[in-house]
Amino acid sequence: MADLSCTTAGIKSPNPFWLASAPPTNTGYQVANAFEAGWGGAVWKTLTDGQPIVNTWSRYGALDYNGVKMMGFNNIELITDRPLDVNLREIYEVKKRFPNNAIIVSLMVEATREAWHDIVKKSQDAGADGLELNFGCPHGMSERGMGSAVGQVPEYTRQITEWVQEVASVPVLVKLTPNVADVRYPARAALEGGADGVSLINTINSIIGLDLDTLAPRPTVAGWSSHGGYCGPAVKPIALNMVSQIATDPQTAHLPISGIGGVSNWKDAVEFIALGASSVQVCTAVMHYGFRIIEDLCDGVSNFLDERGMTLDELRGASVERIHEWKELDLNYVINARIDQDKCIGCGLCYTACEDGAHQAIFSERRADGRTYVEVKPDACVGCNLCSLVCPVDGCIEMVEIPNDFERCSWEDVTSGNGTLAPRPVHD
Amino acid sequence: MADEAGLRISPFADYKPLMDRGAALVEANRCLNCYDAPCTRACPTSIDVPSFIKKIAHDNLRGSARVILEANILGASCARVCPTEELCEGACVLHDLHEEPIQIGRLQRYATDPVVLGQKPLFQSAPPNGRRVACIGAGPASLGCAAELAQLGYEVVAFEKASEPGGLNTYGIADYKMDYATALAEIAWVKELGVNVQCNTEVGKDIPLASLFEDFDAVFMGVGLDGVSAIGIPGEDLEGSQDALDFIAELKTRPKEEVSLKGLSVAVIGGGNTAIDAVTQASRLGAERVYLVYRRTRERMGAYAHEQELARRDGGIFVLEAAPAEILGEYGRVIGLKCQKTRSDAQGGLEPVPGSDFVLEVDRVFRATGQAKHRAFFEQLEGLEVDDRGRVIADEDGRTSVERLWTGGDCVSGGQEVVNAVAEGKRAAQSIHQTLEGAR
């Protein structure tokens, strides 16, 4: 069993799995149960102090895809609607009971120095191991000048982070919104404001869909709806990209990251960590299957590390140096699809996909025995991967490297006159 | 049909029950959506299976039903009675992955039931073209032909000697696959397309055969097969000895308690799918022992392997390589079936084994030894060519040697599936249309 304990911006936890600030961390009861089940940390559902929080009754909507429930998920639920003193007391009690688990308190108050100072002190007094500034929520609270309304303006992000750091005695993470043109700007602003780390991504602006019987948008509140925050497995690629952007940006490269966005299993966690995250935060998968998923999250990462003889620290950021600009990629790296005829079941999906959706590089024929026979036309294959992606049989279509005598050559090399391109298929 | 709770416990519960939406979506999404799909190629009516399944996955049930029913007007029946294990599902590429094939039959039922049993109109008939076609019989072949022609604007009248239409689909298929009420509901839906069915009207008896050729532009003959002939052994006239098809029809049209076989023992003679149906039905009606008596080995049985399995699961006892010799009786009622063991030689010939007689103590004997042909009826059609086994000779469009007479279904094939009959009826309709409208 690999050692999974980790430190994120100075916040220690027995494993890198934290519950994200969301409905699963609404109460001390839930957080205690989660720690009991094995979660390393929990980011308490966002506290505030000021205007009361009142929620709609209908709050969540799901994107189902091809029979899979909750591929994507959105919500219009606001931050905690429980009294501040109740939350603080529960934080204190849970922390006392689970001293080794990380409790990070998510915060969102009106944009005044006093309000921020006050809630930061109260949270620290309750025993918070860290603070997470919620500059991310795209719905509801943003209309009141909080959440993503702050995160979308780098100056606000820096300013409030500075205010917080004036009184903070524990590490401060800034939670970033993906609803910006370039996530590196708010990340830099957080760093400039003194943030100890960043958490990302928060949810994405979304309309999850309509009820086709009534044409009402979902989640439907008395026939109306509002844009909500989108998350779940479907957002992971967007989150991975944003995490990698911060990890590869020279200005923020060493800023600790708590990765968030569609983490549903241990493999997702490995990806976030390899792209630079120190910890990962999970919400939708827990809302779908409960706290018990932590067992396989830890077990899977542990087995992965053990099989490679690798430590969690060695995994962290291991893939960052492989993320490059397109113009730096090697244009002379040639691959072709290879169909293993012994494994082929004759579904013809590769043929249809290549014929209609790619480069007409697969030949198909109905054989005498009634089976559909497919074969790759090597002269036409551009190695795009599509056939191997649609093939339903494990290992039936593989992308095989075709060695050539040409040196590596990128677009940069081509345009600077420093490289020679290998010949490639010509399409009339 | 019993209420839902009753269905689950009834011995006549559906063999392939209706899926709910959740189950249908999971199953529909398992479908790979093959190119040049082998399931479609295996379907006698060439239903575009990937297309209708994709539509189910996307909640387009009406579109899905249209794909099925455009290809096969009795798609709701075929969803239940087709030997899908041998046809579409048997061809599914998932077999190569050692996975269960897609449950195409059940998905087809999921898509078609709401339309067909809900009596929802789906197709529009063309305006009347002034031409009339008569169908002899109102079984699957005639219905396939009539539905196609009605949609093309023909006035179609199907003359049926039984009191209800549908032929074997209504009367001759085991109840847990196809029940009486469902068969009739489907035909009620087909009739909405403009198909006129006159029941209790036997052509050649209640209405002269010649009048059809006088009053109609074309005639389609879908008369199927006759009853099961006598085997030719002593005792066949005893009370309790019956044609297996009559037994199945009785069970389907009368309250089940009236045909109960509780406490009785039954022997079914034959090795085809009707024999299997009789075995399973007898067993589900409470029979204590049900024997299937067949002259040859299991490998030679006409019944599909999955059907044999069904019969075995229902407790059927297979008595193989045994020929019936005599039905024994007492006071005019069956008390046993005397059999003799047989031996097959290398050429497939059969000979009795001397001194191997044995008696099965049974109260009922059902013969399912193959249906006879309507030879006498065919003789009324001057110039009609029939092969040496009594089957009507027709080209692939169903055209016979008699002018303006088309045919299809079991009277041509000698006995195939409902889906084959529908396909042949439909092809004949297209040929009739080409011939009549082409001549215009």
Side-chain angles (χ1 to χ4, degrees):
Chain A
M1 181 83 189
D3 177 15
L4 296 186
S5 63
C6 74
T7 305
T8 308
I11 303 166
K12 289 186 184 339
S13 59
N15 63 54
F17 294 103
W18 299 356
L19 290 170
S21 170
T25 59
N26 194 38
T27 64
Y29 171 78
Q30 288 167 289
V31 174
N33 281 344
F35 288 163
E36 200 76 67
W39 287 85
V43 186
W44 208 276
K45 186 159 161 110
T46 308
L47 306 185
T48 192
D49 196 5
Q51 280 185 11
I53 301 298
V54 182
N55 270 301
T56 56
W57 292 87
S58 166
R59 302 178 194 181
Y60 309 140
L63 174 73
D64 300 343
Y65 184 72
N66 281 0
V68 176
K69 303 282 261 181
M70 281 173 55
M71 270 286 295
F73 189 77
N74 94 338
N75 83 91
I76 57 167
E77 185 171 293
L78 302 182
I79 57 178
T80 185
D81 52 12
R82 306 169 74 231
L84 179 62
D85 58 333
V86 172
N87 275 307
L88 292 171
R89 193 180 65 233
E90 290 179 4
I91 289 167
Y92 175 77
E93 285 164 359
V94 176
K95 186 63 209 173
K96 203 164 73 177
R97 201 176 137 202
F98 296 94
N100 297 325
N101 295 73
I103 295 184
I104 298 92
V105 179
S106 173
L107 300 174
M108 177 193 286
V109 288
E110 59 174 310
T112 68
R113 174 184 248 145
E114 294 68 34
W116 277 101
H117 280 187
D118 185 51
I119 199 148
V120 165
K121 288 176 190 162
K122 283 177 176 164
S123 302
Q124 290 173 170
D125 288 347
D129 297 302
L131 304 173
E132 185 180 84
L133 313 186
N134 182 343
F135 298 162
C137 276
H139 54 276
M141 300 312 290
S142 56
E143 296 169 15
R144 306 181 196 179
M146 294 182 252
S148 63
V150 174
Q152 285 170 335
V153 183
E155 292 73 29
Y156 297 170
T157 299
R158 184 178 56 237
Q159 176 66 74
I160 294 176
T161 309
E162 280 173 5
W163 288 341
V164 168
Q165 287 292 18
E166 286 166 4
V167 292
S169 58
V170 294
V172 175
L173 303 174
V174 170
K175 188 164 178 180
L176 302 176
T177 174
N179 299 303
V180 290
D182 188 334
V183 78
R184 288 174 293 194
Y185 291 91
R188 290 170 192 162
L191 181 63
E192 287 161 20
D196 299 293
V198 287
S199 320
L200 71 159
I201 58 173
N202 204 307
T203 54
I204 305 170
N205 275 330
S206 61
I207 301 271
I208 198 77
L210 304 187
D211 175 337
L212 290 191
D213 291 331
T214 62
L215 295 182
R218 290 183 287 127
T220 309
V221 181
W224 292 7
S225 192
S226 188
H227 76 266
Y230 184 50
C231 55
V235 311
K236 187 188 74 173
I238 297 166
L240 285 177
N241 175 52
M242 290 190 172
V243 165
S244 80
Q245 279 185 292
I246 290 168
T248 53
D249 179 22
Q251 291 183 44
T252 54
H254 300 292
L255 188 61
I257 297 170
S258 186
I260 314 169
V263 177
S264 309
N265 59 53
W266 68 268
K267 293 185 287 184
D268 301 330
V270 167
E271 291 171 333
F272 273 94
I273 293 168
L275 284 174
S278 297
S279 59
V280 293
Q281 298 185 27
V282 181
C283 171
T284 310
V286 165
M287 290 181 75
H288 200 161
Y289 299 112
F291 297 134
R292 59 187 168 150
I293 64 169
I294 186 60
E295 192 278 328
D296 190 59
L297 287 172
C298 288
D299 188 48
V301 171
S302 172
N303 288 335
F304 176 86
L305 294 174
D306 286 348
E307 278 169 18
R308 282 162 185 72
M310 206 177 191
T311 66
L312 194 58
D313 279 336
E314 287 164 352
L315 174 64
R316 185 168 307 112
S319 297
V320 172
E321 63 177 21
R322 297 177 183 231
I323 303 278
H324 284 266
E325 291 194 60
W326 187 92
K327 66 184 180 194
E328 298 171 65
L329 302 181
D330 182 6
L331 297 170
N332 284 349
Y333 168 70
V334 178
I335 56 171
N336 261 203
R338 283 275 183 285
I339 299 172
D340 183 336
Q341 298 296 347
D342 291 336
K343 288 184 177 163
C344 178
I345 60 173
C347 70
L349 283 181
C350 55
Y351 169 76
T352 311
C354 187
E355 189 70 8
D356 296 354
H359 299 85
Q360 300 81 48
I362 292 182
F363 164 83
S364 159
E365 166 182 272
R366 192 194 292 178
R367 286 274 163 96
D369 62 1
R371 291 180 64 95
T372 300
Y373 169 81
V374 286
E375 191 52 280
V376 178
K377 300 183 224 170
D379 297 347
C381 179
V382 302
C384 73
N385 297 337
L386 182 63
C387 55
S388 70
L389 300 178
V390 300
C391 179
V393 184
D394 270 355
C396 177
I397 302 185
E398 279 184 290
M399 303 308 297
V400 182
E401 185 170 357
I402 311 291
N404 60 45
D405 297 333
F406 289 82
E407 299 282 309
R408 99 176 280 290
C409 171
S410 67
W411 180 245
E412 242 173 8
D413 298 329
V414 173
T415 49
S416 64
N418 289 329
T420 310
L421 286 175
R424 48 202 60 236
V426 179
H427 292 278
D428 303 324
Chain B
M1 186 112 255
D3 62 13
E4 225 186 303
L7 269 179
R8 269 183 226 116
I9 52 161
S10 159
F12 297 93
D14 280 354
Y15 167 51
K16 292 179 181 175
L18 184 63
M19 285 175 160
D20 73 3
R21 178 171 173 272
L25 288 189
V26 169
E27 193 63 6
N29 281 304
R30 280 206 315 128
C31 174
L32 298 176
N33 207 12
C34 292
Y35 164 75
D36 192 18
C39 46
T40 295
R41 286 188 262 139
C43 176
T45 55
S46 302
I47 293 174
D48 187 342
V49 176
S51 163
F52 94 70
I53 291 182
K54 199 77 178 159
K55 286 169 189 285
I56 289 175
H58 296 163
D59 282 326
N60 179 5
L61 279 201
R62 190 180 161 79
S64 182
R66 180 183 288 276
V67 168
I68 297 162
L69 296 166
E70 261 176 9
N72 178 349
I73 200 72
L74 297 189
S77 273
C78 291
R80 293 166 165 79
V81 308
C82 258
T84 51
E85 294 84 347
E86 310 291 326
L87 299 173
C88 50
E89 292 174 17
C92 182
V93 298
L94 291 180
H95 286 292
D96 279 19
L97 283 178
H98 307 290
E99 276 185 45
E100 287 296 313
I102 304 297
Q103 297 180 58
I104 299 169
R106 292 186 67 195
L107 287 172
Q108 181 165 321
R109 176 169 173 183
Y110 172 76
T112 52
D113 269 12
V115 169
V116 173
L117 302 186
Q119 301 291 320
K120 290 185 191 151
L122 194 63
F123 301 117
Q124 267 192 331
S125 293
N129 65 5
R131 295 195 182 272
R132 309 181 74 215
V133 175
C135 294
I136 309 174
S142 285
L143 290 170
C145 177
E148 185 76 5
L149 289 171
Q151 290 176 74
L152 291 166
Y154 289 78
E155 183 189 342
V156 190
V157 185
F159 299 98
E160 170 59 52
K161 68 179 176 186
S163 59
E164 296 290 354
L168 277 186
N169 199 43
T170 299
Y171 291 105
I173 295 173
D175 211 51
Y176 60 93
K177 290 185 211 157
M178 185 73 194
D179 71 287
Y180 188 59
T182 301
L184 294 183
E186 182 181 43
I187 295 166
W189 178 81
V190 173
K191 280 156 80 174
E192 288 300 308
L193 298 170
V195 176
N196 180 357
V197 181
Q198 291 186 18
C199 289
N200 299 307
T201 309
E202 182 170 355
V203 173
K205 199 165 123 195
D206 303 312
I207 176 174
L209 183 52
S211 72
L212 299 189
F213 289 91
E214 286 158 18
D215 298 344
F216 294 88
D217 297 290
V219 178
F220 177 82
M221 178 171 67
V223 294
L225 299 169
D226 208 346
V228 179
S229 326
I231 302 167
I233 55 173
E236 282 192 84
D237 51 351
L238 289 165
E239 193 184 331
S241 159
Q242 204 181 1
D243 173 347
L245 282 172
D246 288 342
F247 159 66
I248 291 170
E250 192 183 343
L251 142 80
K252 287 170 77 89
T253 54
R254 285 174 54 188
K256 308 270 182 290
E257 55 276 14
E258 285 182 20
V259 278
S260 166
L261 294 172
K262 240 181 183 53
L264 303 181
S265 291
V266 173
V268 178
I269 303 169
N273 291 317
T274 298
I276 297 288
D277 275 6
V279 167
T280 54
Q281 293 295 249
S283 165
R284 288 165 191 232
L285 278 169
E288 204 152 84
R289 271 203 182 76
V290 185
Y291 300 102
L292 180 138
V293 179
Y294 179 57
R295 292 183 298 164
R296 300 177 187 274
T297 56
R298 176 164 303 158
E299 294 70 37
R300 300 289 295 267
M301 283 178 72
Y304 297 121
H306 71 272
E307 293 270 316
Q308 295 184 35
E309 188 52 39
L310 268 177
R312 260 194 291 277
R313 252 186 287 156
D314 272 0
I317 304 159
F318 284 31
V319 181
L320 299 167
E321 297 192 277
E326 182 183 355
I327 301 175
L328 307 175
E330 206 173 71
Y331 309 117
R333 299 180 57 92
V334 171
I335 60 159
L337 176 67
K338 189 163 137 189
C339 303
Q340 190 175 25
K341 291 297 284 177
T342 63
R343 207 163 28 211
S344 309
D345 63 28
Q347 284 74 42
L350 210 58
E351 57 170 8
V353 178
S356 66
D357 291 5
F358 63 97
V359 173
L360 299 171
E361 287 179 16
V362 294
D363 312 282
R364 295 276 191 278
V365 174
F366 299 138
R367 57 177 196 279
T369 44
Q371 291 170 259
K373 315 295 189 298
H374 287 292
R375 288 177 194 266
F377 181 78
F378 300 149
E379 278 164 17
Q380 296 177 48
L381 284 152
E382 202 181 325
L384 182 68
E385 286 180 21
V386 174
D387 72 9
D388 54 0
R389 290 162 67 184
R391 297 177 300 192
V392 178
I393 295 174
D395 69 12
E396 58 179 20
D397 291 330
R399 201 188 284 269
T400 68
S401 54
V402 175
E403 203 183 337
R404 291 194 291 130
L405 178 69
W406 279 260
T407 187
D410 283 357
C411 65
V412 179
S413 65
Q416 264 189 311
E417 304 300 330
V418 172
V419 66
N420 300 100
V422 176
E424 289 160 26
K426 184 179 178 178
R427 271 205 298 277
Q430 286 159 348
S431 170
I432 290 169
H433 181 55
Q434 266 167 19
T435 306
L436 297 185
E437 292 295 295
R440 192 171 250 188

